[in-house]
Amino acid sequence: MEQKFYSSPPVLPFKEKNNHTFNTLLVHNFRINVPEDVNTEFTKYNFYFINGQKETITNNLGFEKAKKYKTQLMTELEKNWNEQQQGYSPSKRSSFENFCKKHNTYVDVVLPGTRQEWFEQMGICQFTDEYVWDKFTETRKMGKLIPETINKEKLWTWAKTEINFMKQWMNQKLGTDKGFLYATVHLDETTPHVHFGFMPITKVFSKTLNQERYVISNNKILGGNLDILSKYHANYLTKVGFGIYPGLKGSRGSYNAASFREIKVIERNKIEAEIQQLLIAKQNESNSYDQFKRMSLIKDYYDNRIEEIRSYLLLEELSDYEKNQIKHYLILLEKVRYFKILKDSSNNQIHSINLEHYEEQLDKMTIKLAPILTKSYRLTI
């Protein structure tokens, strides 16, 4: 019997005129600062969509674009509000800031809220066979993304479907998708998903100004509850070939936002155990002592280098973006360390190919990080 998958999209509405919460979400969505629930090895596969343009999340450009666009919209809305207020008597006027405190000015939606197995069934990508206990389904897959299995055409088709749904939903509930700020597609967390950031802007006719204007909507654009959004979303995806069922209101359905933290610890422990076993084996082989010494030197060198670079993350003077780049660098150092030891322990060609691949990435990242690492060095003196 075919397994059913459900989607319970998390929705976060916020009431504020300033950008504090918005910026906090942007930092996560555009990977300016990478939290523990992100596998930075796969961050390079993330991409975003702003003003009809698709770009990879490789720098802070998307972060700045989204901030700028929201600021422009808020400025326009406040101008329209103030013009409208001029038609009232002073005693009946109210400030735009007070209005924002009582109404949702920004909404973050995550689609779909589902499982890794759904993406495998849809032919979008595959994951390694790691399973964890889950109170909703007893067990669920919590593996690592296998990059070579990513079907780029299906991935983009799914992402465009999610974006088209969100814009259609906004047009249906608000009469316009003017408030659509961005969409970020994440492949570096437990389950692939799209973050949508938008302002609930609608178009109304102002009798005072005798013209149409854009305002923050007074209505609950989610139709009163999340059941409606979940149902519409599931129906929309199913019609275009991405079959899924709506989740239940108030539950996570089959959505699991568990972090990679546990899996990353398990993986790191496995690697360290493998390296330790190789060293012990070479140490005990009578004709392999020189090889054991070389492998030990490689391990010690990279352990010291990794510890040195990791200490830079404690410096408050470095920006979140700079620290994010350092985290990427640390991942590459760990990969090079691992495959150098494996290559030295055997003549396996696969180890040589992997080492060459990661050394090339590390060299490029070293050049890219030179200004940051130089700055970090000066700060530690």
Side-chain angles (χ1 to χ4, degrees), residues 257-273:
S259 74
F260 270 111
R261 192 176 305 157
E262 181 181 350
I263 300 301
K264 286 162 72 176
V265 170
I266 293 172
E267 182 188 49
R268 185 171 280 112
N269 289 342
K270 285 181 179 179
I271 289 175
E272 292 306 315

Side-chain angles (χ1 to χ4, degrees), residues 1-12:
M1 186 175 65
E2 184 180 8
Q3 185 176 5
K4 289 184 177 181
F5 296 103
Y6 299 86
S7 175
S8 298
V11 178
L12 301 172

Side-chain angles (χ1 to χ4, degrees), residues 128-143:
T128 57
D129 291 330
E130 299 278 355
Y131 291 86
V132 296
W133 179 84
D134 180 88
K135 68 179 180 180
F136 293 105
T137 57
E138 293 188 355
T139 60
R140 69 167 59 246
K141 201 165 192 179
M142 279 279 286

